[in-house]
Structure formats: structure tokens, C-alpha cells
Amino acid sequence: MTALVLDCDGVLADTERHGHLPAFNAAFREHGLPVCWDEQEYGRRLAIGGGKERLASLFADEDLVRAAGVPDDAEGRTALLQQWHRTKTARFTELVAQGLVPARPGVRRLVTAACEAGWTVAVASTSAEASVRAVLSQAVGPELAAGIPVFAGDVVPAKKPDPAIYLLAVQRLGLDPADTLVIEDSRNGLVAATAAGLACLITVSSYTARERFDEAVLVVNELGDPDRSPIRVLANRGAARPGDQLELDDLRACLRLPGSGGTT
């Protein structure tokens, strides 16, 4: 059975800029931390997979550790980290509920088409499950979202670019890797998907447009919708021949052997 597995952040919605960044900064304020990430600094932190892991990177700043009264022991730091992350997740889901985290073009249309065609559709993300489910519901609608499995957060011990989250999705859902397409927006996600033996389509996001996507079968600026400008194909190493927007046939073509006329 054909399967479509989507990342959350940057694929379902432009969550990093409009959701996670302001949520992190809100959590810093609430906990009295002398930290405020701007867009450039947050872009650097995105190289670290997972929200808890990005928060843990603050422990490398000795001045901040002293100012915030961070405990020396690992158990105390873990508890503090979980507290910070719970606050950040709560602020993020509030932003999503307020409609301040826009869904990306084409997501609802293609997910709906895949479900109607009998595909298995799932989401695999390094973000907290509560955050992912909130974004998914906003992006595709609560009714459709209710039937889509979500693999997220600490369900695996290692975050992307480790392939663990995709290997788990394949195993739990009984997927055939040869018939499974992943949609990602970042190099970390691409590396995770391909290391799991899965074909990957990239829809670049505001933070990832300059990353390398050499292993992707298809790279586009967005998935597209009828009321938008035609999509731009940034690289095509497969059999898809997209028009103004990606269609389900284009996703099917990403699972076929590469054609001779692709652009790179």
C-alpha cells in the first residue's frame, strides 16, 4: 500500500518563524531567563533536532546558568528542562489555536487526496506530540486529522537526522519502504528519511531554502494551490513532471525510478 509520511514543522505549517520562535521567547520570559532569540539566532539553533535539545543548548552558557540558578546535577537539570519545555509547548499550542501559525499551501489538498485514494498517511516529527497534533488539526481539519497517526517527540531516543522516527513509523504501520514517500523541508529531515530507505520530496521553508538537498527526489518551493502562483521546481531527480501545483500523480511519480529528463 502506498504511504505518505509528512514532517510537521515547515511542512504542515510555517511553524518555526510564527510558532516555535515566539513560544520559546515567551517561555524564557515566564521563567525569568535572560534570553531572547532573534530570527538569526533561532536559525542557528534549528541545526539541533528537538525542542528540549535546543533548550538544553542554553546550559553551555555559563553566565546564563549562574543567572538562572540552573542546578549542577543532571537530575535537576532534566526536571528544569521539562518545566521550560512544558511552558513552551503550552504557548505554542495557544498560538496555533489562535490561528497565528499558517498552514502551508497544498497540505490539506494533497493529504485529502491521498486519504481518499486509500493511501496510508502519517506524520513523523521531532516536536512534542501535543504541538504536532495541534498543527495537524489546524492544517487539515480536525476530522481528517483524527485518523492520521502521529509519531513525535520522545517516542524515539534520537531525533532527526537520526532515522529512528521514520524506522518506527515504517515498522508500526507495516509500510513498504519502496512505496513510502516522505515530505520534508530540512536537510536534517532529508537525511533521516533517506537513511531509513525512504524517498523524500522537499518543500523548502523560510529557514531551509539555502540548505543542500542532493538526496531528494524532488525539491519545490511549496506544494501549491489553485489560487496561488505556480510552484517553482528547484530540483527534479525523478519521474514527476509537475504543473502549476503538485498533484497526487506527482507524488506517485516520486516513487518510480528516475527519468532521463529530470532537471538538477
Side-chain angles (χ1 to χ4, degrees):
M1 178 178 292
T2 308
L4 178 65
V5 183
L6 303 99
D7 178 39
C8 175
D9 299 316
V11 173
L12 297 181
D14 192 358
T15 54
E16 301 294 6
R17 189 179 304 275
H18 299 290
H20 289 298
L21 174 56
F24 274 116
N25 285 332
F28 297 153
R29 291 192 297 272
E30 289 189 41
H31 290 280
L33 299 176
V35 181
C36 183
W37 288 338
D38 60 20
E39 290 191 357
Q40 290 71 34
E41 177 58 28
Y42 185 60
R44 289 188 285 271
R45 303 278 173 166
L46 282 176
I48 304 168
K52 291 190 186 74
E53 290 76 7
R54 286 173 207 146
L55 286 170
S57 70
L58 296 175
F59 296 154
D61 185 335
E62 294 181 1
D63 292 336
L64 183 147
V65 166
R66 284 193 295 271
V70 174
D72 294 329
D73 62 292
E75 185 177 342
R77 289 193 172 194
T78 297
L80 185 62
L81 197 64
Q82 291 173 340
Q83 184 181 14
W84 291 351
H85 193 256
R86 281 194 296 270
T87 301
K88 180 263 171 183
T89 299
R91 299 301 157 261
F92 177 84
T93 53
E94 288 169 3
L95 291 169
V96 174
Q98 293 166 18
L100 299 177
V101 182
R104 294 202 65 193
V107 170
R108 184 184 293 244
R109 178 177 57 81
L110 283 173
V111 168
T112 299
C115 289
E116 289 177 349
W119 290 26
T120 297
V121 178
V123 174
S125 171
T126 59
S127 290
E129 184 174 347
S131 296
V132 176
R133 290 194 179 278
V135 173
L136 178 62
S137 182
Q138 187 80 7
V140 305
E143 185 175 346
L144 192 58
I148 295 177
V150 169
F151 301 88
D154 297 327
V155 69
V156 290
K159 304 293 177 68
K160 301 172 187 176
D162 191 283
I165 194 75
Y166 285 117
L167 292 172
L168 179 67
V170 167
Q171 186 267 324
R172 289 273 181 89
L173 298 175
L175 306 180
D176 181 347
D179 290 329
T180 301
L181 179 67
V182 169
I183 300 183
E184 275 280 0
D185 75 304
S186 70
R187 174 145 193 86
N188 274 354
L190 171 63
V191 171
T194 54
L198 307 175
C200 186
L201 182 160
I202 293 290
T203 171
V204 297
S205 62
S206 57
Y207 272 111
T208 66
R210 296 186 179 182
E211 294 184 4
R212 289 181 54 203
F213 300 115
D214 298 345
E215 303 89 345
V217 65
L218 180 64
V219 183
V220 294
N221 68 316
E222 64 173 64
L223 304 178
D225 268 326
D227 59 347
R228 295 180 60 82
S229 299
I231 65 170
R232 288 183 291 113
V233 176
L234 307 178
N236 189 354
R237 304 177 182 94
R241 295 296 178 265
D244 290 349
Q245 62 192 32
L246 288 186
E247 305 290 354
L248 205 58
D249 282 345
D250 297 310
L251 304 192
R252 289 190 183 95
C254 288
L255 294 169
R256 297 206 299 266
L257 293 175
S260 58
T263 60
T264 57

